[in-house]
Amino acid sequence: MFRRIRTERAAAALLALALSGCGIFAVDSGKAPAAPPPSGSATPADPGTDVPDDLDEAESETREDSVYPLAGDPSVDALHYDLSLAWTPDSDTLVATERLTFRSTADADHFQLDFDDALTIDSLTVDGKDASFDRSDKDLVINHAVKADDEYTLVLAYQGTPEPYPAPTERSDFTLGEGWHITDEHQVWTIQEPYGAFTWYAANDQPADKAFYDFTLTVPAPWTGIANGKLTDTTDSDGLRTTTWHLDEPASSYLVTVAFGDYTPAHLESASGVPVTIWGPTDDPEASGDTGYAGEAIDWLENYLGPYPFDTFGILLYDGDSGMETQTMVTLGATPYATSRAVVVHELTHHWYGDTVTPTDWRDLWMNEGMAMYLQGMWEAEDEGISIDEKMDSWAGYEAESREYSGPPGDYDPQKFGDGNVYYGPALMWNELRRKVGDDVFFALIRDWPQEHASQSADREEYLSWIEDRTGLELTSFFDDWLLGETTPPRTSGG
């Protein structure tokens, strides 16, 4: 994730950061112009009846989140979401059908999902039979008995105008909230970290629960619906355009994206053969900025992290200035900084750190952002002709201020989600570990971890124990100081 932040205590540091061209925060507020909304009413296609054959690959060790315990329910293990979504811009109306296959992890007389009550439920069945339910805010409780390790199919028909949900942070780019967003031109984009998928579909909205996804998206032509994974079909009929998308690898709900708008794709390929698609606004081709660098960025990262872990890569540009590593289809604001090469490298790094290997709990956001920030720093240092130690020296001042304001990277203030403390501190930590163990050992570590844990979730204890086993070093104090300390630990390089 990269996003712009603004707090009173951090403003000066971030201004200097923006002017230096470093880091992860957007400073440009320009927006890509949009075409006028089309007319016509869209209705969803029937959800598919087929589910992937390998649902066992989506089985997860679910848990209650330690930072945001009200999001998600560990008694549900989502295996496959089939989402059929129809967007009518003229009325800002979503009409949808969802088919969710899930495994119960406990015996109970009910189960619970996250689903915003701004949307009206027209029907709800479990295994083909009507089920009663109760709702309050985002909590949807379905009164249907379940047994541990049995699988069930929920089919939900619903409609309405989705609304963003308040975000647990003071960052200025979260002021619009999380989840589903509607622009002034009636286009749609979605970003939802740490939660917010429940603003547009019923989800188990906690990162430990990964599932397969299929999407069927309908909107009046010439607009297009875009989602994660492979575009498997496009059909134009009666003034409507329907696209279908399939995500081959399980994903956490915060890594899912959907957008509706007037887009034109540009097709590229990395030297290693990864297909890349840039979805830019049709009436503003220049809005794509430097996103065409994505193929070269994949090649650069593969030198350090191994083969790109998915089959496709895409970038979706939207009318804003934030960015998110949504799996296989990165969501970027159409601004010069958000579409810069450094940000493309950052979001691509997340496909190894965050997407294929995902933290099981939001206390470990640093596992995603620290490595993405460090690889971005390596790329920037190479691009600028300086050493990585010099780059870390230039970032150290921002780390101290952000740690003081938002807390340690591994124990941050829950109301200051995604502040600079989870980026800069862990990036500095990885550089210190590199200096401690040497380049050969360090780069083997960062390459082997995502390869050995592909399509899995992991927690802090598992990750750090794995590093200790590989290095043969006892590193408890080292990691505790960097992740849980109130102040920045002493560094072997710089100040």
PDB file of all heavy atoms in Angstrom, residues 3 178-180 190-201 205 253-257 324 326 362:
ATOM      1  N   ARG A   3      -0.001   5.419   0.395  1.00  0.00           N
ATOM      2  CA  ARG A   3      -1.066   6.407   0.505  1.00  0.00           C
ATOM      3  C   ARG A   3      -0.499   7.718   1.014  1.00  0.00           C
ATOM      4  O   ARG A   3       0.513   7.756   1.692  1.00  0.00           O
ATOM      5  CB  ARG A   3      -2.171   5.932   1.451  1.00  0.00           C
ATOM      6  CG  ARG A   3      -2.899   4.695   0.928  1.00  0.00           C
ATOM      7  CD  ARG A   3      -4.233   4.583   1.557  1.00  0.00           C
ATOM      8  NE  ARG A   3      -4.949   3.414   1.057  1.00  0.00           N
ATOM      9  CZ  ARG A   3      -6.191   3.135   1.362  1.00  0.00           C
ATOM     10  NH1 ARG A   3      -6.873   3.904   2.160  1.00  0.00           N
ATOM     11  NH2 ARG A   3      -6.792   2.072   0.886  1.00  0.00           N
ATOM     12  N   GLU A 178     -13.500   3.731   3.689  1.00  0.00           N
ATOM     13  CA  GLU A 178     -12.996   2.500   3.102  1.00  0.00           C
ATOM     14  C   GLU A 178     -14.062   1.809   2.257  1.00  0.00           C
ATOM     15  O   GLU A 178     -15.259   1.920   2.524  1.00  0.00           O
ATOM     16  CB  GLU A 178     -12.614   1.537   4.236  1.00  0.00           C
ATOM     17  CG  GLU A 178     -11.535   2.059   5.156  1.00  0.00           C
ATOM     18  CD  GLU A 178     -10.162   1.743   4.638  1.00  0.00           C
ATOM     19  OE1 GLU A 178      -9.842   2.190   3.517  1.00  0.00           O
ATOM     20  OE2 GLU A 178      -9.425   1.052   5.328  1.00  0.00           O
ATOM     21  N   GLY A 179     -13.621   1.062   1.260  1.00  0.00           N
ATOM     22  CA  GLY A 179     -14.537   0.238   0.498  1.00  0.00           C
ATOM     23  C   GLY A 179     -14.955   0.849  -0.825  1.00  0.00           C
ATOM     24  O   GLY A 179     -14.131   1.327  -1.605  1.00  0.00           O
ATOM     25  N   TRP A 180     -16.260   0.864  -1.069  1.00  0.00           N
ATOM     26  CA  TRP A 180     -16.853   1.279  -2.346  1.00  0.00           C
ATOM     27  C   TRP A 180     -16.924   2.802  -2.424  1.00  0.00           C
ATOM     28  O   TRP A 180     -17.432   3.467  -1.535  1.00  0.00           O
ATOM     29  CB  TRP A 180     -18.246   0.694  -2.443  1.00  0.00           C
ATOM     30  CG  TRP A 180     -18.964   0.854  -3.752  1.00  0.00           C
ATOM     31  CD1 TRP A 180     -19.651   1.946  -4.189  1.00  0.00           C
ATOM     32  CD2 TRP A 180     -19.112  -0.151  -4.763  1.00  0.00           C
ATOM     33  NE1 TRP A 180     -20.219   1.699  -5.409  1.00  0.00           N
ATOM     34  CE2 TRP A 180     -19.908   0.410  -5.798  1.00  0.00           C
ATOM     35  CE3 TRP A 180     -18.676  -1.464  -4.898  1.00  0.00           C
ATOM     36  CZ2 TRP A 180     -20.254  -0.300  -6.940  1.00  0.00           C
ATOM     37  CZ3 TRP A 180     -19.021  -2.172  -6.041  1.00  0.00           C
ATOM     38  CH2 TRP A 180     -19.793  -1.602  -7.049  1.00  0.00           C
ATOM     39  N   THR A 190     -12.678   0.814  -5.650  1.00  0.00           N
ATOM     40  CA  THR A 190     -12.723   0.214  -4.322  1.00  0.00           C
ATOM     41  C   THR A 190     -11.309   0.055  -3.776  1.00  0.00           C
ATOM     42  O   THR A 190     -10.427  -0.476  -4.462  1.00  0.00           O
ATOM     43  CB  THR A 190     -13.412  -1.162  -4.340  1.00  0.00           C
ATOM     44  OG1 THR A 190     -12.733  -2.023  -5.246  1.00  0.00           O
ATOM     45  CG2 THR A 190     -14.867  -1.042  -4.757  1.00  0.00           C
ATOM     46  N   ILE A 191     -11.100   0.541  -2.567  1.00  0.00           N
ATOM     47  CA  ILE A 191      -9.879   0.282  -1.799  1.00  0.00           C
ATOM     48  C   ILE A 191     -10.314   0.024  -0.370  1.00  0.00           C
ATOM     49  O   ILE A 191     -11.109   0.786   0.183  1.00  0.00           O
ATOM     50  CB  ILE A 191      -8.880   1.454  -1.874  1.00  0.00           C
ATOM     51  CG1 ILE A 191      -8.256   1.543  -3.270  1.00  0.00           C
ATOM     52  CG2 ILE A 191      -7.792   1.302  -0.829  1.00  0.00           C
ATOM     53  CD1 ILE A 191      -7.235   2.664  -3.425  1.00  0.00           C
ATOM     54  N   GLN A 192      -9.779  -1.040   0.273  1.00  0.00           N
ATOM     55  CA  GLN A 192     -10.343  -1.470   1.549  1.00  0.00           C
ATOM     56  C   GLN A 192      -9.292  -2.114   2.446  1.00  0.00           C
ATOM     57  O   GLN A 192      -9.231  -3.324   2.572  1.00  0.00           O
ATOM     58  CB  GLN A 192     -11.484  -2.457   1.297  1.00  0.00           C
ATOM     59  CG  GLN A 192     -11.098  -3.574   0.365  1.00  0.00           C
ATOM     60  CD  GLN A 192     -12.125  -3.878  -0.690  1.00  0.00           C
ATOM     61  OE1 GLN A 192     -13.058  -3.132  -0.944  1.00  0.00           O
ATOM     62  NE2 GLN A 192     -11.952  -5.009  -1.335  1.00  0.00           N
ATOM     63  N   GLU A 193      -8.459  -1.310   3.019  1.00  0.00           N
ATOM     64  CA  GLU A 193      -7.478  -1.779   3.985  1.00  0.00           C
ATOM     65  C   GLU A 193      -7.547  -0.890   5.216  1.00  0.00           C
ATOM     66  O   GLU A 193      -7.463   0.322   5.069  1.00  0.00           O
ATOM     67  CB  GLU A 193      -6.066  -1.756   3.383  1.00  0.00           C
ATOM     68  CG  GLU A 193      -5.035  -2.427   4.256  1.00  0.00           C
ATOM     69  CD  GLU A 193      -3.632  -2.351   3.656  1.00  0.00           C
ATOM     70  OE1 GLU A 193      -3.371  -1.435   2.860  1.00  0.00           O
ATOM     71  OE2 GLU A 193      -2.798  -3.195   4.003  1.00  0.00           O
ATOM     72  N   PRO A 194      -7.731  -1.443   6.418  1.00  0.00           N
ATOM     73  CA  PRO A 194      -7.679  -2.845   6.802  1.00  0.00           C
ATOM     74  C   PRO A 194      -8.986  -3.622   6.598  1.00  0.00           C
ATOM     75  O   PRO A 194      -9.004  -4.835   6.744  1.00  0.00           O
ATOM     76  CB  PRO A 194      -7.350  -2.782   8.292  1.00  0.00           C
ATOM     77  CG  PRO A 194      -8.011  -1.514   8.747  1.00  0.00           C
ATOM     78  CD  PRO A 194      -7.827  -0.559   7.602  1.00  0.00           C
ATOM     79  N   TYR A 195     -10.086  -2.926   6.318  1.00  0.00           N
ATOM     80  CA  TYR A 195     -11.356  -3.604   6.066  1.00  0.00           C
ATOM     81  C   TYR A 195     -12.226  -2.680   5.219  1.00  0.00           C
ATOM     82  O   TYR A 195     -11.872  -1.530   4.966  1.00  0.00           O
ATOM     83  CB  TYR A 195     -12.069  -3.973   7.364  1.00  0.00           C
ATOM     84  CG  TYR A 195     -12.103  -2.884   8.420  1.00  0.00           C
ATOM     85  CD1 TYR A 195     -12.859  -1.729   8.251  1.00  0.00           C
ATOM     86  CD2 TYR A 195     -11.363  -3.010   9.590  1.00  0.00           C
ATOM     87  CE1 TYR A 195     -12.883  -0.727   9.209  1.00  0.00           C
ATOM     88  CE2 TYR A 195     -11.386  -2.012  10.562  1.00  0.00           C
ATOM     89  CZ  TYR A 195     -12.143  -0.879  10.369  1.00  0.00           C
ATOM     90  OH  TYR A 195     -12.159   0.116  11.318  1.00  0.00           O
ATOM     91  N   GLY A 196     -13.363  -3.187   4.757  1.00  0.00           N
ATOM     92  CA  GLY A 196     -14.251  -2.386   3.921  1.00  0.00           C
ATOM     93  C   GLY A 196     -14.807  -3.136   2.732  1.00  0.00           C
ATOM     94  O   GLY A 196     -15.698  -2.640   2.039  1.00  0.00           O
ATOM     95  N   ALA A 197     -14.309  -4.365   2.470  1.00  0.00           N
ATOM     96  CA  ALA A 197     -14.915  -5.186   1.422  1.00  0.00           C
ATOM     97  C   ALA A 197     -16.400  -5.387   1.694  1.00  0.00           C
ATOM     98  O   ALA A 197     -17.210  -5.491   0.770  1.00  0.00           O
ATOM     99  CB  ALA A 197     -14.205  -6.538   1.329  1.00  0.00           C
ATOM    100  N   PHE A 198     -16.763  -5.386   2.978  1.00  0.00           N
ATOM    101  CA  PHE A 198     -18.165  -5.612   3.351  1.00  0.00           C
ATOM    102  C   PHE A 198     -19.087  -4.487   2.920  1.00  0.00           C
ATOM    103  O   PHE A 198     -20.303  -4.599   3.044  1.00  0.00           O
ATOM    104  CB  PHE A 198     -18.295  -5.844   4.855  1.00  0.00           C
ATOM    105  CG  PHE A 198     -17.809  -4.690   5.708  1.00  0.00           C
ATOM    106  CD1 PHE A 198     -18.564  -3.543   5.865  1.00  0.00           C
ATOM    107  CD2 PHE A 198     -16.598  -4.779   6.375  1.00  0.00           C
ATOM    108  CE1 PHE A 198     -18.127  -2.484   6.656  1.00  0.00           C
ATOM    109  CE2 PHE A 198     -16.150  -3.732   7.174  1.00  0.00           C
ATOM    110  CZ  PHE A 198     -16.915  -2.580   7.312  1.00  0.00           C
ATOM    111  N   THR A 199     -18.548  -3.385   2.387  1.00  0.00           N
ATOM    112  CA  THR A 199     -19.416  -2.331   1.870  1.00  0.00           C
ATOM    113  C   THR A 199     -20.057  -2.719   0.549  1.00  0.00           C
ATOM    114  O   THR A 199     -21.011  -2.050   0.122  1.00  0.00           O
ATOM    115  CB  THR A 199     -18.647  -1.010   1.691  1.00  0.00           C
ATOM    116  OG1 THR A 199     -17.605  -1.188   0.721  1.00  0.00           O
ATOM    117  CG2 THR A 199     -18.058  -0.527   3.009  1.00  0.00           C
ATOM    118  N   TRP A 200     -19.551  -3.798  -0.101  1.00  0.00           N
ATOM    119  CA  TRP A 200     -20.140  -4.169  -1.392  1.00  0.00           C
ATOM    120  C   TRP A 200     -20.369  -5.664  -1.583  1.00  0.00           C
ATOM    121  O   TRP A 200     -20.998  -6.067  -2.557  1.00  0.00           O
ATOM    122  CB  TRP A 200     -19.345  -3.590  -2.554  1.00  0.00           C
ATOM    123  CG  TRP A 200     -17.869  -3.856  -2.576  1.00  0.00           C
ATOM    124  CD1 TRP A 200     -16.908  -3.210  -1.855  1.00  0.00           C
ATOM    125  CD2 TRP A 200     -17.178  -4.797  -3.397  1.00  0.00           C
ATOM    126  NE1 TRP A 200     -15.651  -3.708  -2.156  1.00  0.00           N
ATOM    127  CE2 TRP A 200     -15.796  -4.681  -3.113  1.00  0.00           C
ATOM    128  CE3 TRP A 200     -17.585  -5.730  -4.351  1.00  0.00           C
ATOM    129  CZ2 TRP A 200     -14.818  -5.452  -3.735  1.00  0.00           C
ATOM    130  CZ3 TRP A 200     -16.620  -6.496  -4.977  1.00  0.00           C
ATOM    131  CH2 TRP A 200     -15.252  -6.353  -4.663  1.00  0.00           C
ATOM    132  N   TYR A 201     -19.908  -6.508  -0.672  1.00  0.00           N
ATOM    133  CA  TYR A 201     -20.313  -7.914  -0.685  1.00  0.00           C
ATOM    134  C   TYR A 201     -20.157  -8.487   0.718  1.00  0.00           C
ATOM    135  O   TYR A 201     -19.429  -7.931   1.560  1.00  0.00           O
ATOM    136  CB  TYR A 201     -19.534  -8.730  -1.719  1.00  0.00           C
ATOM    137  CG  TYR A 201     -18.063  -8.972  -1.423  1.00  0.00           C
ATOM    138  CD1 TYR A 201     -17.623 -10.177  -0.890  1.00  0.00           C
ATOM    139  CD2 TYR A 201     -17.105  -7.997  -1.707  1.00  0.00           C
ATOM    140  CE1 TYR A 201     -16.281 -10.418  -0.637  1.00  0.00           C
ATOM    141  CE2 TYR A 201     -15.758  -8.222  -1.469  1.00  0.00           C
ATOM    142  CZ  TYR A 201     -15.345  -9.429  -0.925  1.00  0.00           C
ATOM    143  OH  TYR A 201     -14.017  -9.664  -0.685  1.00  0.00           O
ATOM    144  N   ASP A 205     -14.098 -10.459   6.582  1.00  0.00           N
ATOM    145  CA  ASP A 205     -13.193  -9.365   6.229  1.00  0.00           C
ATOM    146  C   ASP A 205     -12.004  -9.268   7.191  1.00  0.00           C
ATOM    147  O   ASP A 205     -11.814  -8.269   7.884  1.00  0.00           O
ATOM    148  CB  ASP A 205     -13.985  -8.051   6.219  1.00  0.00           C
ATOM    149  CG  ASP A 205     -13.469  -7.064   5.185  1.00  0.00           C
ATOM    150  OD1 ASP A 205     -12.461  -7.368   4.529  1.00  0.00           O
ATOM    151  OD2 ASP A 205     -14.084  -5.988   5.035  1.00  0.00           O
ATOM    152  N   SER A 253      -9.665 -10.603   1.589  1.00  0.00           N
ATOM    153  CA  SER A 253     -10.683  -9.660   1.131  1.00  0.00           C
ATOM    154  C   SER A 253     -10.134  -8.254   0.922  1.00  0.00           C
ATOM    155  O   SER A 253     -10.605  -7.531   0.045  1.00  0.00           O
ATOM    156  CB  SER A 253     -11.850  -9.625   2.123  1.00  0.00           C
ATOM    157  OG  SER A 253     -11.396  -9.337   3.434  1.00  0.00           O
ATOM    158  N   TYR A 254      -9.130  -7.846   1.689  1.00  0.00           N
ATOM    159  CA  TYR A 254      -8.608  -6.487   1.519  1.00  0.00           C
ATOM    160  C   TYR A 254      -7.814  -6.331   0.232  1.00  0.00           C
ATOM    161  O   TYR A 254      -7.522  -5.201  -0.204  1.00  0.00           O
ATOM    162  CB  TYR A 254      -7.766  -6.082   2.735  1.00  0.00           C
ATOM    163  CG  TYR A 254      -6.325  -6.550   2.739  1.00  0.00           C
ATOM    164  CD1 TYR A 254      -5.294  -5.717   2.293  1.00  0.00           C
ATOM    165  CD2 TYR A 254      -5.978  -7.808   3.215  1.00  0.00           C
ATOM    166  CE1 TYR A 254      -3.976  -6.133   2.317  1.00  0.00           C
ATOM    167  CE2 TYR A 254      -4.670  -8.225   3.253  1.00  0.00           C
ATOM    168  CZ  TYR A 254      -3.662  -7.393   2.796  1.00  0.00           C
ATOM    169  OH  TYR A 254      -2.357  -7.812   2.827  1.00  0.00           O
ATOM    170  N   LEU A 255      -7.481  -7.445  -0.417  1.00  0.00           N
ATOM    171  CA  LEU A 255      -6.706  -7.409  -1.651  1.00  0.00           C
ATOM    172  C   LEU A 255      -7.567  -7.540  -2.906  1.00  0.00           C
ATOM    173  O   LEU A 255      -7.050  -7.693  -4.004  1.00  0.00           O
ATOM    174  CB  LEU A 255      -5.662  -8.529  -1.628  1.00  0.00           C
ATOM    175  CG  LEU A 255      -4.566  -8.350  -0.583  1.00  0.00           C
ATOM    176  CD1 LEU A 255      -3.703  -9.598  -0.471  1.00  0.00           C
ATOM    177  CD2 LEU A 255      -3.705  -7.127  -0.895  1.00  0.00           C
ATOM    178  N   VAL A 256      -8.889  -7.464  -2.727  1.00  0.00           N
ATOM    179  CA  VAL A 256      -9.814  -7.568  -3.859  1.00  0.00           C
ATOM    180  C   VAL A 256     -10.188  -6.170  -4.337  1.00  0.00           C
ATOM    181  O   VAL A 256     -10.296  -5.231  -3.543  1.00  0.00           O
ATOM    182  CB  VAL A 256     -11.067  -8.363  -3.442  1.00  0.00           C
ATOM    183  CG1 VAL A 256     -12.099  -8.389  -4.555  1.00  0.00           C
ATOM    184  CG2 VAL A 256     -10.670  -9.784  -3.046  1.00  0.00           C
ATOM    185  N   THR A 257     -10.396  -6.026  -5.631  1.00  0.00           N
ATOM    186  CA  THR A 257     -10.795  -4.729  -6.181  1.00  0.00           C
ATOM    187  C   THR A 257     -11.830  -4.905  -7.282  1.00  0.00           C
ATOM    188  O   THR A 257     -11.854  -5.925  -7.978  1.00  0.00           O
ATOM    189  CB  THR A 257      -9.579  -3.960  -6.741  1.00  0.00           C
ATOM    190  OG1 THR A 257      -9.958  -2.605  -7.033  1.00  0.00           O
ATOM    191  CG2 THR A 257      -9.030  -4.600  -7.997  1.00  0.00           C
ATOM    192  N   MET A 324      -2.936   0.953  -3.921  1.00  0.00           N
ATOM    193  CA  MET A 324      -3.150  -0.267  -3.153  1.00  0.00           C
ATOM    194  C   MET A 324      -2.713  -1.470  -3.970  1.00  0.00           C
ATOM    195  O   MET A 324      -2.975  -1.546  -5.174  1.00  0.00           O
ATOM    196  CB  MET A 324      -4.639  -0.376  -2.778  1.00  0.00           C
ATOM    197  CG  MET A 324      -4.975  -1.556  -1.916  1.00  0.00           C
ATOM    198  SD  MET A 324      -4.176  -1.458  -0.300  1.00  0.00           S
ATOM    199  CE  MET A 324      -4.215  -3.184   0.153  1.00  0.00           C
ATOM    200  N   THR A 326      -3.733  -4.318  -4.590  1.00  0.00           N
ATOM    201  CA  THR A 326      -4.779  -5.304  -4.860  1.00  0.00           C
ATOM    202  C   THR A 326      -4.251  -6.396  -5.799  1.00  0.00           C
ATOM    203  O   THR A 326      -3.651  -6.111  -6.818  1.00  0.00           O
ATOM    204  CB  THR A 326      -6.018  -4.595  -5.425  1.00  0.00           C
ATOM    205  OG1 THR A 326      -5.619  -3.500  -6.270  1.00  0.00           O
ATOM    206  CG2 THR A 326      -6.843  -4.024  -4.291  1.00  0.00           C
ATOM    207  N   TRP A 362      -3.622  -7.894  11.690  1.00  0.00           N
ATOM    208  CA  TRP A 362      -3.220  -6.544  11.308  1.00  0.00           C
ATOM    209  C   TRP A 362      -2.123  -5.964  12.189  1.00  0.00           C
ATOM    210  O   TRP A 362      -1.546  -4.940  11.852  1.00  0.00           O
ATOM    211  CB  TRP A 362      -4.426  -5.615  11.273  1.00  0.00           C
ATOM    212  CG  TRP A 362      -5.221  -5.795  10.024  1.00  0.00           C
ATOM    213  CD1 TRP A 362      -6.517  -6.187   9.919  1.00  0.00           C
ATOM    214  CD2 TRP A 362      -4.755  -5.617   8.673  1.00  0.00           C
ATOM    215  NE1 TRP A 362      -6.897  -6.277   8.596  1.00  0.00           N
ATOM    216  CE2 TRP A 362      -5.838  -5.927   7.817  1.00  0.00           C
ATOM    217  CE3 TRP A 362      -3.537  -5.249   8.121  1.00  0.00           C
ATOM    218  CZ2 TRP A 362      -5.723  -5.856   6.427  1.00  0.00           C
ATOM    219  CZ3 TRP A 362      -3.423  -5.182   6.739  1.00  0.00           C
ATOM    220  CH2 TRP A 362      -4.511  -5.479   5.908  1.00  0.00           C
TER     221      TRP A 362
END
